[in-house]
Amino acid sequence: MIFIDRQEVIAMLPEGWQAKAKSVTDALLAADGEESRKRIISENEELWRSIKDVLAKVGHHKCWYCETANIRSDNAVDHFRPKNRVAGSSHGGYWWLAFDVKNYRFACTFCNSRRHGEGGTTGGKADHFPLVDGSQRADNPLIPITVETPLLLDPCDYFDTTTLWFDETGQVGVNPDAELVEENVSQRVYASRELYHLDHVRLIEARKRVYLEVLQMCDRADEALVAYKSTKNSISRSLFHDSINALKRMKRDDAPYSAVARCAVLGYRVNSPSAKLIAEAS
């Protein structure tokens, strides 16, 4: 999971989109009952679908939850807070946020929909939106959503993106530094792992490949550096610089599973001068 700046999304919205969204939201607020609201939402679904390409572009065409990129999949615009109902509760959904761009997340099928995966895993957010125990829930438009403490990690919250940790097995873990900053971090990470289906076997394998590739690149850079220091050979120097450049590219937001690459670099920095160099670079 990488940080997604919602301000970038807003800056890229088509002309007139926000005015239209406000008009529909005003109609929802004035609607007479649940059925009227459902009809208004159904009749205007194209509004959020029309900006799917904007959401995709801001997230480098990767799922905002798991970083999987698949240009052949029909990725969806997920409502972070469900618009119709909230599973496991009597809450009728955050219908007043149905056309609020700040409530949209770009999601792959396995993160967005309930699916069964290899190895007996099951996940997918669907209409789930659990809160931390004891948190108040906003059940009408007059209550600000800031009263809530979501159990799910949010890619639009930078701190949330720092709480995930990955190791050489490709599994999802908890960043121990984040646990020192805020309570409930472990609970939120494990809930997100399940509901975003982050333990899907193919996803774990993909993360593992990236992690090991980073380690191999660090070793290559270290070997080239040792060779250059002992021989002053320009070829070794060039190989070292090329390897450092490759590591830098693997950490970029648009790279495959870049959050995994960053964890790999951080985890290896004690053993690798090259990893230490890249970890400390901006």
Side-chain angles (χ1 to χ4, degrees), residues 39-181:
R39 176 181 53 78
I40 293 170
I41 291 174
S42 177
E43 290 176 349
N44 290 277
E45 289 180 356
E46 185 56 32
L47 197 54
W48 65 73
R49 291 174 180 161
S50 69
I51 61 169
K52 183 166 72 170
D53 288 346
V54 170
L55 303 179
K57 186 174 181 179
V58 171
H60 308 286
H61 298 276
K62 299 189 292 184
C63 171
W64 291 9
Y65 297 126
C66 73
E67 276 200 87
T68 297
N70 190 339
I71 61 175
R72 300 183 66 185
S73 291
D74 187 21
N75 293 37
V77 177
D78 174 50
H79 287 71
F80 186 57
R81 286 174 167 82
K83 61 186 180 298
N84 289 323
R85 70 182 185 93
V86 177
S89 76
S90 59
H91 193 284
Y94 301 82
W95 49 267
W96 61 95
L97 300 177
F99 300 94
D100 185 342
V101 67
K102 296 188 295 296
N103 192 41
Y104 298 160
R105 310 288 183 270
F106 186 69
C108 71
T109 301
F110 273 82
C111 285
N112 187 52
S113 306
R114 298 298 290 177
R115 296 286 296 272
H116 296 286
E118 299 93 332
T121 62
T122 300
K125 178 174 173 287
D127 51 8
H128 291 81
F129 193 71
L131 302 179
V132 168
D133 290 344
S135 172
Q136 180 182 350
R137 190 182 289 277
D139 57 8
N140 68 73
L142 298 179
I143 301 177
I145 59 173
T146 52
V147 303
E148 299 183 338
T149 303
L151 198 56
L152 291 176
L153 301 177
D154 183 1
C156 296
D157 185 316
Y158 180 73
F159 177 78
D160 281 6
T161 66
T162 69
T163 64
L164 292 173
W165 190 259
F166 305 96
D167 60 21
E168 67 276 6
T169 69
Q171 298 283 353
V172 176
V174 183
N175 182 346
D177 291 335
E179 286 188 297
L180 299 175
V181 175

Side-chain angles (χ1 to χ4, degrees), residues 11 15 25 62 94 98 106-107 129 155 166 176 183 190 202 205 271:
E15 185 177 355
T25 299
K62 299 189 292 184
Y94 301 82
F106 186 69
F129 193 71
F166 305 96
E183 60 183 359
Y190 296 136
R202 278 180 283 168
E205 292 173 349
N271 306 100

